RNA sequence: GGAGAGGUGGCUGAGUGGUCGAAAGCGCCGGUUUGCUAAAUCGGUGACCGGGAAACUGGUCCGCAGGUUCGAAUCCUGUCCUCUCCGCCA
């Protein structure tokens, strides 16, 4: 969320930003609520002050009569205080609900537009698009021929959108994980396997809505837990409520986790095969940074994503995400879209976001500079290293050969133990 | 899952109804002393929200949420977490 004071001082800017992002939030109503809230706060504090004053006097009362008289006075004050406090709480809750709906500010260079059609292509990969002298297959057909994925079994066990990886696809998943983690270790990231569930207040701190008709999240009945949609949730939640030393920043983590998404309302749209599934494995990068570090850190995360896909010899383009497509927390977001021959178009495979202090403020993650008074909110960033299901699509489809085999890129061979996937026997 | 113990400031740790935002020690910052370092010594040293140009000042915070009371770190309830023992288990 944004700083309440900042909103009051920059009402027009915030309204314009909401419009650019397609966020229908009543900013004026928030401003009005916030102003009455402040006035009420002063009133409550004054009542508290008087209540405290009276309470202190009771201990020093000279005799029983005076004591009783003051107690009565205290009782009356308490009633008034409680009433005022209740009004304040109601105002604060309503203002807070609105505040949490206001999206982050947007980077001045982010393209302005209501949806992904306004995304701006920045550059393309050194790997050029493949030229096939045969009719390329899509990953579903390839997986079928090579016996790599069992969609039917997935559907019968857990429903549409679930799948079993099989044979070399399993080795590929492990190889991709290992490749990503090794690369990130070389970059100074601390590797973590994270919980696949998280408390709902962590979810909403990161910016997800755990329950409700629009939710993308599976929640666990009779508990405060949900299945995570990304390790961004657990990694970001690690330091909730904590104050870190400035000199310990930036902190870099890579998380290995499963991701679960209901994909409510997304059926039929590019839903074939592994593209839009309810569960996948992902290696995620997460950074806790000082404000002055976050711009460069976003470039760094994007650079790592590019290098990972360069190593996989997969063609892609990098886009600067338009304001309307940023979601709530991101200040700026770069996506890598890999070429997917089966669809004949680019499909999102990774995403790197600078969320500035938006998540940190919700999760209350601060930093302290040695020798300076007070604390400030740090910046959080996240980026996909490898989302296995989508990386598999790009890998299979781009590296397919005329003879029906898949050539494995050099970087995965040490982990896979072979240079080619072929039909068995 | 069962039985206990406990969660207090950056850390250790006192505090069982008022003068407690909280002893003491450590750490940290500053002064004095001092060839240098160390030691000694004196003083300062929590966070958040608000008011004020500032000095300063009001409120809130002793895991979290409620309750009792004029008044709660302290009493009550719930909850989360940690530790120990037992059971179960990959």
């Amino acid at each position: 969320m944004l700083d309440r004071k900042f909103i009051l001082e920059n009402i027009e800017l915030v309204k314009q930003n909401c419009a650019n992002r397609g966020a229908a939030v009543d900013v004026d109503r928030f401003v009005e609520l916030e102003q009455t809230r402040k006035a009420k706060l002063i009133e409550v504090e004054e009542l508290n002050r008087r209540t405290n004053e009276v309470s202190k006097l009771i201990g020093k009362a000279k005799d029983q009569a005076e004591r009783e008289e003051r107690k009565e006075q205290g009782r009356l004050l308490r009633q008034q205080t409680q009433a005022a406090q209740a009004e304040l709480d109601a105002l604060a809750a309503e203002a807070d609900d609105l505040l949490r709906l206001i999206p982050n500010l947007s980077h001045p260079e982010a393209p302005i537009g209501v949806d992904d059609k306004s995304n701006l292509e920045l550059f393309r990969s050194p790997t050029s698009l493949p030229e096939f002298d045969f009719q390329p297959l899509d990953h579903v057909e390839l997986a079928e021929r090579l016996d790599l994925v069992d969609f039917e079994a997935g559907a019968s066990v857990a429903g549409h959108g679930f799948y079993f990886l099989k044979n070399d696809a399993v080795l590929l998943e492990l190889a991709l994980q290992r490749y990503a983690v090794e690369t990130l270790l070389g970059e100074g990231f601390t590797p973590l396997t994270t919980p696949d569930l998280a408390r709902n207040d962590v979810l909403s701190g990161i910016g997800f809505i755990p329950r409700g008709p629009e939710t993308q999240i599976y929640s666990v009945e009779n508990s405060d837990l949900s299945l995570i949609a990304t390790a961004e949730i657990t990694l970001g939640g690690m330091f909730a409520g904590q104050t870190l030393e400035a000199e310990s920043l930036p902190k870099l983590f890579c998380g290995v986790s499963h991701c679960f998404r209901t994909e409510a309302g997304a059926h039929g749209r590019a839903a074939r095969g592994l593209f839009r599934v309810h569960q996948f494995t992902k290696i995620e990068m997460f950074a806790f940074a000082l404000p002055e570090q976050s711009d460069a850190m976003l470039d760094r995360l994007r650079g790592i994503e590019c290098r990972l896909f360069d190593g996989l010899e997969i063609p892609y383009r990098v886009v600067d995400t338009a304001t309307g497509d940023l979601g709530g927390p991101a200040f700026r977001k770069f996506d890598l879209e890999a070429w997917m021959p089966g669809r004949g178009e680019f499909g999102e495979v990774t995403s790197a976001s600078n969320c500035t202090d938006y998540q940190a403020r919700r999760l209350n993650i601060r930093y302290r500079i040695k020798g300076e008074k007070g604390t400030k909110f740090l910046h959080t960033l996240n980026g996909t290293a490898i989302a296995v299901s989508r990386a598999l699509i790009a890998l299979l489809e781009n590296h397919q050969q005329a003879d029906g085999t898949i050539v494995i890129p050099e970087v995965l061979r040490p982990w896979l133990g072979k240079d080619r996937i072929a039909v068995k026997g």
Side-chain angles (χ1 to χ4, degrees):
Chain A
M1 58 197 176
L2 297 180
D3 179 38
R4 331 173 83 97
K5 250 187 288 184
F6 177 88
I7 298 173
L8 293 193
E9 287 161 6
N10 299 276
I11 300 170
E12 286 315 310
L13 176 80
V14 171
K15 282 163 82 168
Q16 183 58 52
N17 184 55
C18 285
N20 289 345
R21 288 190 167 234
V25 192
D26 193 343
V27 177
D28 288 325
R29 174 69 181 149
F30 172 77
V31 169
E32 186 190 322
L33 280 167
E34 185 61 9
Q35 278 159 351
T36 27
R37 188 190 69 86
K38 279 180 140 176
K40 188 56 77 175
L41 177 67
I42 290 170
E43 186 187 325
V44 168
E45 286 184 351
E46 172 62 15
L47 281 166
N48 268 329
R49 192 187 61 74
R50 282 162 57 196
T51 310
N52 290 342
E53 218 170 63
V54 169
S55 291
K56 280 180 186 155
L57 286 175
I58 290 172
K60 291 169 187 155
K62 285 188 286 289
D63 54 54
Q64 203 53 32
E66 186 183 333
R67 200 180 174 85
E68 283 309 319
E69 186 192 321
R70 287 180 181 170
K71 275 170 92 162
E72 184 51 33
Q73 198 184 349
R75 253 178 233 119
L76 283 170
L77 272 167
R78 190 184 71 157
Q79 278 170 19
Q80 286 180 54
T81 308
Q82 277 179 345
Q85 182 72 49
E87 288 176 54
L88 175 63
D89 289 346
L91 282 166
E94 201 187 331
D96 200 58
D97 286 345
L98 278 174
L99 177 62
R100 293 177 81 87
L101 293 176
I102 298 174
N104 200 354
L105 298 174
S106 311
H107 192 285
E109 284 167 40
I112 293 170
V114 289
D115 60 25
D116 58 2
K117 289 185 193 67
S118 304
N119 289 353
L120 180 71
E121 179 175 323
L122 295 178
F123 59 87
R124 295 206 172 187
S125 57
T127 310
S128 47
L129 300 191
E131 287 172 27
F132 298 106
D133 51 10
F134 58 94
Q135 181 60 44
L137 304 177
D138 84 348
H139 73 282
V140 177
E141 295 165 306
L142 289 166
E144 170 111 10
R145 293 192 180 198
L146 297 165
D147 199 14
L148 296 176
V149 187
D150 193 335
F151 290 103
E152 289 74 23
S156 86
V157 164
H160 178 260
F162 291 92
Y163 55 94
F164 288 78
L165 293 184
K166 202 173 169 187
N167 297 318
D168 283 337
V170 175
L171 300 184
L172 263 180
E173 151 143 10
L174 296 173
L176 284 166
Q177 290 187 48
R178 194 66 195 267
Y179 166 57
V181 170
E182 293 291 338
T183 302
L184 293 172
L185 281 175
E187 290 282 338
F189 284 69
T190 301
L192 296 165
T193 64
T194 93
D196 284 341
L197 292 88
R199 290 183 200 293
N200 289 332
D201 56 355
V202 176
L203 281 270
S204 65
I206 292 292
F208 287 84
I209 303 150
R211 296 185 196 257
E214 302 280 294
T215 190
Q216 274 276 66
I217 300 289
Y218 288 103
S219 50
V220 178
E221 210 175 354
N222 299 323
S223 83
D224 190 31
L225 294 170
S226 295
L227 292 170
I228 59 171
T230 158
E232 174 192 353
I233 292 166
T234 42
L235 295 174
M238 281 177 74
F239 294 111
Q242 295 189 35
T243 302
L244 308 179
E245 296 296 337
E247 60 209 49
S248 74
L249 299 174
K251 280 183 187 291
L252 300 172
F253 295 99
C254 78
V256 182
S257 83
H258 295 109
C259 305
F260 302 88
R261 302 183 179 182
T262 62
E263 300 294 351
H267 284 291
R269 186 157 56 97
R272 185 168 157 82
L274 291 172
F275 192 77
R276 196 173 294 283
V277 287
H278 292 313
Q279 178 184 335
F280 57 95
T281 306
K282 180 154 66 74
I283 315 300
E284 177 81 355
M285 304 181 279
F286 200 96
F288 299 90
L290 295 172
E292 59 269 28
Q293 295 168 338
S294 71
D295 270 336
M297 184 61 74
L298 181 63
D299 288 342
R300 184 173 167 198
L301 296 184
R302 185 185 72 187
I304 292 170
E305 294 177 14
C306 289
R307 284 217 309 286
L308 284 166
F309 278 81
D310 293 341
L312 294 173
E313 298 163 50
I314 290 173
Y316 59 84
R317 64 177 184 187
V318 175
V319 301
D320 196 342
T321 304
T323 49
D325 204 25
L326 282 172
F331 175 68
R332 196 178 202 187
K333 174 150 83 179
F334 297 119
D335 287 353
L336 259 67
E337 298 180 344
W339 180 247
M340 298 186 172
R343 288 206 280 159
E345 58 184 18
F346 288 96
E348 183 183 335
V349 282
T350 74
S351 176
S353 303
N354 180 3
C355 297
T356 61
D357 59 0
Y358 191 87
Q359 294 175 328
R361 189 169 278 114
R362 286 173 163 234
L363 289 165
N364 193 21
I365 312 175
R366 298 161 181 271
Y367 69 93
R368 172 187 13 244
I369 298 173
K370 220 178 198 122
E372 284 187 20
K373 232 178 141 49
T375 58
K376 292 182 180 128
F377 293 108
L378 51 70
H379 282 195
T380 58
L381 301 97
N382 65 85
T384 318
I386 301 272
V388 171
S389 50
R390 288 196 178 177
L392 274 179
I393 297 174
L395 202 67
L396 297 177
E397 292 187 359
N398 283 290
H399 295 316
Q400 60 180 304
Q401 307 297 308
D403 63 2
T405 62
I406 311 285
V407 170
I408 300 303
E410 205 68 56
V411 294
L412 295 182
R413 292 181 190 176
W415 318 117
L416 201 68
K418 57 175 78 176
D419 58 9
R420 188 178 288 265
I421 298 177
V423 181
K424 266 191 257 175

